Structures are given as C-alpha cells and as structure tokens.
Amino acid sequence: ETSLQAINATLEAQVYARTAEIRAEQERSDAILRSVRDGILMANRELSVLYVNSALSQLLGYDLEDAVGLPVEVVAGTDVRRQMQSAADAGEVWEGEARARRRDGRGFDAAVTIVPVRSSAREIVGLVCTLRDVSQLMGLDRARKSLIDNISHQLRTPLATMKLYAHLMQQNGLSAQDQRSLTIITSQIEWLQHLVQDVVEMTALDSGKAITTWAP
C-alpha cells in the first residue's frame, strides 16, 4: 500500500508538471498569435473555424466566441474558402490575393497565405490562414497602372502626330524665322517624348518585370 501511494504521488506530480508545461506552451502560443499584426484564422478539414486571433477579429469583426464553429465562408467570404479548399486538396501552401468580406458585408482585397496542417500520419487535419488588408495598396497600384496607361497611350499618340506635322511643315519652304520656331517646337516635342519614355521605363523597372536576369 505504501508503494502504491508513492507511485500514485509520483504520477500525480508528473501529471501536474506536464499539465503546467502544456498550459505554459499554450500561453506562449496565445501570446505570439495575439502579437501578430496579420489576421490569423485556423480551421479544421471541414473548413469550420477553430480559432481567430485579435488582429483578425479587428479586421473582420468576428470575436473568437462568435467565429468558432462557423464555416469559413461566413467569417471570411467565399473567395477565401475557395482558396483554402484548393490548398487542402493540393496539400500545398498557397500564397496570393483573395477577396475577403467583413462581418458588415464590405469586401476588401487581402493578401492571403494558407498552410495545411498535417497529423503525425501526414494527413491534412486543418489549415492556418493569414490575411492582411491590402485594399489601399491595390488601389494605389491600379491608379499607377492607369496613369502609366494614359501616359503610354494618350500622350504618345498626340506627340507622335505633332512631330509628324512639324516635319511636314519643315518641307514647305518656310522663312528662316519660321524654321527656327519650328526647330524649337520639334525639340520640345522630342523632349516630351523622352520624358514619357523615362516614366514608362521607371515604372517597368519598379515592377521588377523589366529585368529578367539580375546581375551586377
């Protein structure tokens, strides 16, 4: 009986220590998830919400108590669910942009990363999804593309037309004064064309698509 009591006391101490370790680990994990600025959503294989951090609650409007158990499409929108389903089916990490939805129904552009979670048997048992609102950046990017499109098309065409007519006028035997004036006009048109080309090239370089081989 004494031996059994000793064994029981030892087991209780081990259980208590292990429970304390698990609790401490959970507290550390919660602290990390709370400190992350991106919204984090965890779902099971059936795409029902298991956890959301405070950043996602602020982003989408769902508290943890409200979100747990709800389908992903209810909390984050159908586009996010579709990408999570694709990542689960493929068993691979997915990164890209998706159209997310807030609780009040407003949609926004989100940068999304989806990571499948596997069991010890390598089976997918859930997914972790991070979301970041990039609506403002996307809006700026669309405005930039629109500006460059206007510069490259709406300005290039009239400048080319002006330069053509200036060249034709130079063939008409103008006076010396008129020729000097036309030369100035032509040089200014060429300067504007050069400026337009510089803007287009800088934009292409900024996008990273203009350079295929990076080297010193």
Side-chain angles (χ1 to χ4, degrees):
E1 183 178 354
T2 302
S3 298
L4 288 175
Q5 289 176 348
I7 292 173
N8 186 51
T10 301
L11 290 174
E12 287 181 352
Q14 291 176 346
V15 169
Y16 178 81
R18 181 55 182 158
T19 302
E21 289 178 3
I22 294 174
R23 186 179 296 112
E25 182 64 29
Q26 289 177 337
E27 290 177 353
R28 283 194 295 270
S29 298
D30 289 342
I32 292 172
L33 292 173
R34 287 194 300 269
S35 66
V36 174
R37 298 181 63 182
D38 289 349
I40 297 177
L41 180 151
M42 298 181 185
N44 58 21
R45 188 62 180 82
E46 290 71 36
L47 298 184
S48 294
V49 177
L50 300 176
Y51 173 84
V52 297
N53 68 346
S54 57
L56 190 109
S57 295
Q58 295 175 4
L59 182 62
L60 300 182
Y62 283 93
D63 293 331
L64 177 60
E65 295 77 11
D66 300 331
V68 171
L70 292 177
V72 167
E73 64 268 24
V74 173
V75 176
T78 55
D79 196 21
V80 174
R81 179 197 167 88
R82 182 170 63 253
Q83 301 301 347
M84 291 183 72
Q85 184 66 62
S86 298
D89 293 341
E92 298 177 350
V93 175
W94 184 88
E95 291 183 86
E97 294 168 356
R99 189 69 180 171
R101 190 186 68 243
R102 294 186 173 88
R103 189 171 188 174
D104 58 11
R106 291 179 298 151
F108 64 95
D109 296 313
V112 180
T113 301
I114 301 169
V115 181
V117 178
R118 299 180 183 273
S119 66
S120 56
R122 304 302 296 166
E123 296 179 353
I124 295 177
V125 295
L127 300 107
V128 176
C129 175
T130 63
L131 295 95
R132 183 172 69 255
D133 187 354
V134 293
S135 297
Q136 186 175 10
L137 293 176
M138 292 289 290
L140 291 173
D141 189 56
R142 284 191 289 267
R144 179 182 63 83
K145 289 179 179 178
S146 177
L147 174 63
I148 298 306
D149 183 66
N150 286 333
I151 290 175
S152 60
H153 294 91
Q154 305 302 324
L155 282 180
R156 275 179 169 178
T157 300
L159 286 174
T161 302
M162 291 166 62
K163 187 174 182 179
L164 173 61
Y165 276 91
H167 174 73
L168 293 175
M169 291 174 65
Q170 286 179 329
Q171 314 305 315
N172 292 334
L174 300 177
S175 65
Q177 178 62 39
D178 289 340
Q179 284 287 358
R180 285 194 294 271
S181 298
L182 202 55
T183 299
I184 294 173
I185 291 174
T186 302
S187 68
Q188 293 301 302
I189 291 173
E190 291 174 347
W191 180 81
L192 283 174
Q193 288 179 319
H194 179 72
L195 183 62
V196 167
Q197 185 60 34
D198 278 352
V199 172
V200 173
E201 288 182 359
M202 285 189 293
T203 303
L205 290 171
D206 184 59
S207 69
K209 297 178 181 178
I211 301 177
T212 57
T213 302
W214 292 86

